[in-house]
Each structure stands twice: as C-alpha cells, then as structure tokens.
Amino acid sequence: MVTYIDATTAPMKNTGQVRLYGPEDFEGMRKASQLTARCLDELAAMVKPGLTTQAIDDFVFEFGEAHGALPATLNYRGYTKNTCTSINHVVCHGIPNDKPLKDGDIVNIDVTYILDGWHGDSSRMYPVGTVNRKSERLMEVTYNSLMLGIEAAKPGKTTGDIGHAIQTYVESHRYSVVRDFCGHGVGKLFHDAPNILHYGRPGEGVELKPGMIFTIEPMVNTGRPQVKVLNDGWTAVTRDRSLSAQYEHSIGITADGCDIFTQSPAGLHTPGLTID
C-alpha cells in the first residue's frame, strides 16, 4: 500500500512514502536542475574524439563549484567521481578515466548537482565525431521513449502508464528496455520513492499526484535487456555486448501534467541529433 506524505514533514531518508512537494519546492528543484542542464549544454561542444572521460569529470566538478553546487555522486556510497560516463555497451554508471573517446563512440553523461539542498538529475547521449546510423537510431528511439514516458506523466495516471508508454514504443522498434535499473523519486534526497520502471502495464503501480518529483531515465539496448555489473562494483554493461543508450529528465507532477525541470536552456536536448 503506497502512502503519500507532505515533504515538509517527511524525515530526511527514504521511508518508502511518496513525498508531495509545494510550489516553492518546485522552484528550488528547477534551479538545481537548470544548473545541471546548463552543464550538459556546455559539454555538447566539448565531446569530441580524443577527449577523456576524466576531462569531462573534471569539468563537471569545476562548473558546479563555480556556481555554488556539488556533484551528488562524489563520495556517494564510495563512488569517487563527479559524474558517470557510459560508452557504447555500458548501460550506466561508467566510471570516468584517462582513456580517450574514439570517433564513432556514443557516450551517456549523467550529472546530478546539489544546489541549496536540491538534486538536479539528468543525463544525455553524445555522439563522438561521426557515428553510424545504427547508433544514431538507437539514440533517437531512446530519446523519443523518454518523451513518451513524460507525456504519460499526469495526475491520475500511474507509474505503470509511464513504463507501458516507454516499453511499447521501444519494443516496436525491436529494441529492449533494461529491467535492472529504474527512475526514482528525487528532490531533497538523491534517491527516493517511488521507483519508476521503464516497462509495465497501464493502470498498475503508484498513482501520480500533484507535487510528486521523480526521474524518468530509460536505458535501451539494441540487443537483449540483460546486464551485468563489472568487478568495480559500478559499471553495468550489456551481457551480449550490444549498444545501449539512455536519456534522463527530472520532472514534477502538476495539476494538469508535469514540469520538466531539466530541459536544456540552449535547446540541446539531443546533442548532435535531429529528432523528428
């Protein structure tokens, strides 16, 4: 049984209750999220063959520091980096290092800034140099699936409606949705209730109510959905070595729909791609 709680009276831990935030909370979330979006915008011009993911990580820290924010991933459960950089068959939680990006790679960059206590969480895919049509199409379908999930996020709908919208679209293109990771409540906490599955049935799951804040972040594979986590304890890869892509927004449920807090102010929602 799902219970809802006024965010102003909720404890600062994940209790499994769904927090309902007010207008001032939405504004705080919007400021943190827009800082994250601006960072991701800046990275669009940087991502080229020869750039290391460590250089990306350094930029994320410096950009946040210059604007009074800290990366939420830094020292989170022992993670030592400021961002996650997931290349090609890496599904999520790729650890930045000194290996340079290569022409034709695709990379997901996942950034969460903490600003005034609020967590702005978002990720985008970036093509490195010239990518083939297979990679480009995967990114297009993944982005479109995210936006269809967001379109389904309205009061009275359910988390199952979001998952169903994503799953049916992705599978219609003969791709698969990763089951092992999901979206999540966000706000004053980095990870909170409810979980947002990217597959499901209409009408099932948690009912959406105004004031809810959460991420939607589908991970889509060209092959099978199964993943494995490497020995570093973080990096998740496709078991069949197929390509994977992910896009993520933080949103808040309103009286008649939702606000997308992490929209790109520069219109760079899909760097390097044209989405019809």
Side-chain angles (χ1 to χ4, degrees), residues 29-44 63 67 113 122 124 126 143 248-250 260-271:
M29 188 66 190
R30 186 173 293 108
K31 288 179 180 177
S33 296
Q34 279 298 289
L35 183 62
T36 296
R38 287 165 54 198
C39 176
L40 293 172
D41 283 351
E42 293 287 334
L43 286 166
F63 186 89
H67 294 86
Y113 280 128
S122 186
R124 300 179 199 164
Y126 296 79
Y143 176 78
E248 175 185 14
H249 274 312
S250 293
I260 306 175
F261 297 130
T262 45
Q263 283 277 45
S264 163
L268 299 174
H269 312 296
T270 56

Side-chain angles (χ1 to χ4, degrees), residues 212-272:
M212 291 173 63
I213 297 176
F214 52 84
T215 71
I216 305 177
E217 46 185 295
M219 286 145 273
V220 176
N221 300 342
T222 58
R224 297 180 182 276
Q226 287 79 15
V227 308
K228 65 177 179 180
V229 177
L230 301 184
N231 290 336
D232 59 31
W234 289 101
T235 308
V237 301
T238 55
R239 282 193 173 271
D240 58 7
R241 304 284 292 185
S242 61
L243 284 176
S244 188
Q246 178 188 22
Y247 287 88
E248 175 185 14
H249 274 312
S250 293
I251 71 169
I253 301 298
T254 63
D256 56 2
C258 70
D259 280 350
I260 306 175
F261 297 130
T262 45
Q263 283 277 45
S264 163
L268 299 174
H269 312 296
T270 56

Side-chain angles (χ1 to χ4, degrees), residues 25 39 44 103 178 236:
D25 300 324
C39 176
D103 187 67
V178 171

Side-chain angles (χ1 to χ4, degrees), residues 35-108:
L35 183 62
T36 296
R38 287 165 54 198
C39 176
L40 293 172
D41 283 351
E42 293 287 334
L43 286 166
M46 293 176 56
V47 174
K48 297 176 181 178
L51 181 73
T52 68
T53 50
Q54 183 58 55
I56 293 171
D57 195 72
D58 292 341
F59 175 80
V60 169
F61 180 82
E62 292 162 4
F63 186 89
E65 185 179 44
H67 294 86
L70 285 173
T73 56
L74 183 59
N75 297 321
Y76 179 77
R77 296 184 178 177
Y79 191 77
T80 60
K81 300 294 183 175
N82 305 290
T83 186
C84 295
T85 50
S86 302
I87 304 168
N88 296 334
H89 72 289
V90 179
V91 175
C92 60
H93 304 158
I95 302 173
N97 58 36
D98 291 324
K99 185 177 180 180
L101 295 169
K102 303 188 303 294
D103 187 67
D105 285 341
I106 58 173
V107 57
N108 176 272

Side-chain angles (χ1 to χ4, degrees), residues 199-211:
Y199 60 94
R201 297 179 179 177
E204 293 188 349
V206 177
E207 181 182 351
L208 305 181
K209 295 189 176 185

